[in-house]
Amino acid sequence: MHAETKSPADDARPALRLHGLSKRYGSAAPVLAGIDLDIAPHSFVSLLGPSGCGKSTLLRLVAGLTAPSGGGIEWPRGAGRDARVSFVFQEPTLMPWATAARNVALPLRLQGLTAREARARATEALAAVGLAGAADAYPRELSGGMKMRVSIARALVTQPELLLMDEPFAALDEITRQKLSDDLLRLWQAQRFTTLFVTHSVFESVFLAQRILVMAPRPGRISADLAVGEPYPRTPAYRTSAPYAEHSRRASDALAATLRDAEVAA
Ligand SMILES: Nc1ncnc2c1ncn2[C@@H]1O[C@H](COP(=O)(O)OP(=O)(O)OP(=O)(O)O)[C@@H](O)[C@H]1O
């Protein structure tokens, strides 16, 4: 076996490139207009914006769940979308009649793995999200946080290059949300998938992301691109640190400016 050779140019290529991306549903006004964006490989990027500004639509376009009306999406690193993208929704969307292990194994079964192989990898993925003991539990036996962990395990079991997360923790209580954020960062550091994480929460984006893209509505566009250059691992102490407060202030100000501009334009 020979090692894969990588030139520096390979590493410089973005994981994802959006150029002039726009979307309109039917004859309504465009939901997204002319979005140009490069997403660096292995980065953690948050999309932050008010309700209705098109965050979910952007994620759905990247996932191929809906088609652009203009512009396009490129995968400069060549892996292509189908094999390497996973999606986590706000609802865990588990099959109620199947155990946690069978839910997590589903994408592998769909890829053609045997039940035995899929089960082994699903068990590993459940252990990675702290659910080693819950493989045979049914969704109704699990708390909201545990169900979300199963959903994350199902997304990661295929070893995606890109993980798309659409407000995955919005329905959870604050403590559970913080635990899941800690665990998500741990998994991201270990597995190095690129993450696009949609949220309404300034604090969640400042805790998680290296880069916050603030979105403005009508039509949806990127109104601010903020770097959060704090190192990882980000411990609970980061949540009460001065840099965290400063990044939160900057992101809140950018969001407030976006909302003010949107009101003026409305
Ligand atoms: N399938 C669809 N058909 C028609 N309009 C749609 C469709 N999906 C979304 N929209 C409209 O597009 C706009 C953006 O919706 P989208 O869900 O992308 O925003 P969002 O920023 O994710 O909002 P939220 O934070 O509330 O989830 C909204 O006005 C919504 O009504």
Side-chain angles (χ1 to χ4, degrees):
M1 194 160 69
H2 63 272
E4 194 184 341
T5 45
K6 279 194 177 140
S7 69
D10 282 337
D11 288 336
R13 287 181 304 180
L16 189 64
R17 168 165 289 160
L18 315 183
H19 55 90
L21 191 67
S22 58
K23 177 70 183 176
R24 101 177 28 239
Y25 292 102
S27 56
V31 170
L32 295 175
I35 294 191
D36 293 307
L37 193 60
D38 277 4
I39 302 290
H42 316 301
S43 60
F44 198 121
V45 178
S46 169
L47 288 172
L48 174 69
S51 196
C53 70
K55 304 181 297 296
S56 298
T57 298
L58 184 54
L59 233 52
R60 289 167 57 77
L61 284 163
V62 171
L65 296 173
T66 188
S69 312
I73 301 172
E74 287 169 26
W75 304 84
R77 299 172 81 82
R81 171 161 51 208
D82 295 340
R84 311 309 303 259
V85 179
S86 286
F87 208 126
V88 175
F89 300 91
Q90 182 176 335
E91 294 300 322
T93 62
L94 304 178
M95 301 178 293
W97 60 87
T99 62
R102 281 191 48 220
N103 269 285
V104 174
L106 177 69
L108 299 177
R109 295 289 284 147
L110 293 173
Q111 284 179 0
L113 267 68
T114 65
R116 193 191 183 87
E117 288 167 324
R119 164 92 196 185
R121 288 210 3 220
T123 306
E124 272 174 37
L126 282 166
V129 297
L131 287 183
D136 295 321
Y138 285 86
R140 65 176 175 275
E141 301 174 281
L142 303 174
S143 68
M146 291 165 92
K147 279 190 263 213
M148 183 46 69
R149 285 175 190 278
V150 175
S151 178
I152 293 171
R154 181 183 54 193
L156 296 183
V157 77
T158 51
Q159 301 179 322
E161 291 201 349
L162 178 62
L163 180 64
L164 304 172
M165 305 187 89
D166 194 355
E167 299 189 55
F169 307 151
L172 303 174
D173 67 79
E174 186 60 25
I175 300 291
T176 305
R177 197 171 167 145
Q178 290 189 5
K179 276 195 200 145
L180 277 162
S181 296
D182 292 343
D183 288 351
L184 174 62
L185 284 187
R186 189 175 45 72
L187 290 163
W188 169 72
Q189 280 197 277
Q191 300 183 19
R192 306 192 73 231
F193 43 83
T194 307
T195 307
L196 261 182
F197 187 105
V198 163
T199 180
H200 289 123
S201 164
V202 165
F203 301 109
E204 189 166 57
S205 45
V206 169
F207 183 73
L208 291 170
Q210 296 169 306
R211 180 180 181 198
I212 301 175
L213 301 171
V214 180
M215 285 185 69
R218 293 186 298 274
R221 61 206 183 276
I222 310 294
S223 57
D225 188 343
L226 309 175
V228 184
E230 304 307 316
Y232 297 86
R234 292 183 179 171
T235 62
Y238 171 53
R239 291 185 204 278
T240 52
S241 69
Y244 179 84
E246 176 55 23
H247 290 301
S248 300
R249 191 187 59 72
R250 278 172 55 227
S252 294
D253 287 352
L255 193 55
T258 292
L259 291 172
R260 260 197 318 273
D261 292 348
E263 275 164 24
V264 169

